Amino acid sequence: MPVPDAPLDILLCAPRGFCAGVDRAVQIVELALQKFGAPVYVRHEIVHNRYVVEGLKAKGAVFVEELDEIPDTGQPVIFSAHGVPKSVPEAARRRNLFHLDATCPLVTKVHREAEIHYRKGREIVLIGHAGHPEVAGTMGQLPPGAVTLVQTEADARALQPAAPERLAFVTQTTLSVDDTAAIVAILKERFPAIVGPHKEDICYATTNRQEAVKRIAARVDAMIVVGAPNSSNSQRLVEVAQREGCFTALLVQRAAEIDWQRLAGVRCIGITAGASAPEALVEEVIDAFCQRYSVNVEAITAAAETVAFNLPRELREAARTA
Ligand code: SF4
């Protein structure tokens, strides 16, 4: 337990927490509940945050992993912000399920890029992490075998495409900016004809949150990242902090998970939050520090964010009257 009233500087990263895609996905569930009443079915965690999911459950959302867990119903079925393979909306149509798509428009953009490459006869490399729902969704836009997953620099060095002169790449949106740049550099060196997005497909929110962590990592004794263990962009924030010199970087879902022993003796900490963590949880963490220290909070802003995405047509009227 720290000495009561010991001074502590908190450097609060900005931007942090909810991005426009997560905000839109949560709004879609809330507006669907408002317009259609409960239950509203949601395939997969709408975003990777238990607090958000539990809050929506309390309002009448029912979370399932697959469509076959949903009874025949006229109630809406919502697809998560991470995107889904094409087979999922097809299955929903076959069953006449009314579905709303909460896929982030920046993920949909990657889906369209992959389709265009495929139509042009290109072999496609997806840089991403196996098992993440966004990767399953992007690979599932095209027939099996059309997309090869590259997870590491070693994978990029080992890649043996059938037609190197017709190679293209796309990326998961929530990767480490620096790791991905290194993988892309290897692919470009080995396959100079490879085509891809201007930079990569890592979204503005992931990039800005990583940049804010980079700005303070060397100045703080420890970093708290508020986020879920299965949140890719939250995990990347921990890695970025460690790589930039802040070795005590802790991922916590709630204030109750803070390991105070590991923070013994700290005088300056950084706080940030993954794109699926709501601000209420950041405030909870700051309050926990305020109970133990005499806290001074300084915001460190890496970028101003003004991005907002349109809601699905079916919910725009509900949004106007909300
Ligand atoms: S992290 Fe980026 S891609 Fe993912 S939902 Fe947010 S804005 Fe969209």
Side-chain angles (χ1 to χ4, degrees):
M1 191 80 173
V3 180
D5 298 330
L8 178 74
D9 289 325
I10 293 181
L11 302 186
L12 188 57
C13 289
R16 63 180 174 278
F18 270 20
C19 59
V22 165
D23 195 46
R24 173 179 182 267
V26 173
Q27 264 196 72
I28 287 174
V29 180
E30 287 178 337
L31 290 170
L33 282 162
Q34 182 188 310
K35 181 169 177 181
F36 303 102
V40 160
Y41 295 92
V42 185
R43 183 188 177 277
H44 193 69
E45 283 188 328
I46 185 77
V47 298
H48 283 155
N49 189 278
R50 198 190 300 158
Y51 176 89
V52 172
V53 167
E54 293 300 326
L56 293 171
K57 266 189 199 169
K59 293 178 183 172
V62 175
F63 289 83
V64 299
E65 279 309 305
E66 293 301 339
L67 296 186
D68 57 16
E69 296 165 49
I70 301 172
D72 289 328
T73 175
Q75 290 296 101
V77 179
I78 299 173
F79 303 147
S80 83
H82 310 99
V84 290
K86 273 207 165 132
S87 56
V88 173
E90 281 164 9
R93 271 191 289 276
R94 274 198 304 278
R95 285 187 55 197
N96 282 325
L97 293 173
F98 163 46
H99 61 273
L100 293 165
D101 192 355
T103 302
C104 175
L106 299 181
V107 174
T108 303
K109 174 179 142 281
V110 179
H111 292 179
R112 297 292 87 81
E113 283 170 16
E115 281 182 326
I116 290 167
H117 290 315
Y118 184 70
R119 277 205 301 274
K120 291 188 172 171
R122 293 176 182 143
E123 206 172 321
I124 300 160
V125 170
L126 167 61
I127 303 171
H129 295 297
H132 192 279
E134 184 185 323
V135 165
T138 301
M139 295 188 86
Q141 299 306 303
L142 297 171
V147 181
T148 303
L149 185 62
V150 163
Q151 301 191 71
T152 61
E153 292 180 33
D155 288 352
R157 282 196 205 92
L159 185 72
Q160 294 295 342
E165 69 291 354
R166 283 187 289 106
L167 202 56
F169 76 91
V170 295
T171 82
Q172 192 179 331
T173 57
T174 51
L175 300 176
S176 151
V177 172
D178 297 334
D179 288 350
T180 308
I183 292 173
V184 170
I186 292 168
L187 292 173
K188 285 185 171 167
E189 191 189 330
R190 291 191 61 213
F191 312 109
I194 194 168
V195 292
H198 177 56
K199 280 175 74 189
E200 51 336 72
D201 297 301
I202 297 171
C203 75
Y204 79 96
T206 299
T207 306
N208 290 345
R209 280 151 191 69
Q210 289 179 17
E211 182 56 34
V213 166
K214 282 182 188 174
R215 291 213 182 164
I216 66 163
R219 293 175 56 191
V220 298
D221 302 317
M223 183 85 68
I224 303 289
V225 178
V226 182
N230 60 346
S231 158
S232 172
N233 75 75
S234 302
Q235 291 283 9
R236 301 295 82 77
L237 292 175
V238 172
E239 291 169 7
V240 167
Q242 289 169 336
R243 196 173 299 170
E244 297 289 320
C246 176
F247 302 111
T248 307
L250 310 179
L251 180 68
V252 299
Q253 304 196 68
R254 303 291 300 257
E257 291 181 8
I258 297 172
D259 183 346
W260 296 104
Q261 282 187 344
R262 289 191 65 191
L263 299 179
V266 294
R267 287 289 170 266
C268 182
I269 62 155
I271 297 181
T272 186
S276 45
E279 187 63 8
L281 299 185
V282 175
E283 286 168 8
E284 182 184 273
V285 166
I286 294 173
D287 284 349
F289 278 99
C290 289
Q291 285 165 22
R292 290 167 174 79
Y293 296 90
S294 173
V295 162
N296 175 49
V297 180
E298 183 189 346
I300 304 292
T301 305
E305 291 184 347
T306 54
V307 178
F309 298 125
N310 285 335
L311 290 161
R313 206 172 316 112
E314 298 88 335
L315 295 174
R316 287 184 200 156
E317 185 57 37
R320 273 192 287 275
T321 57

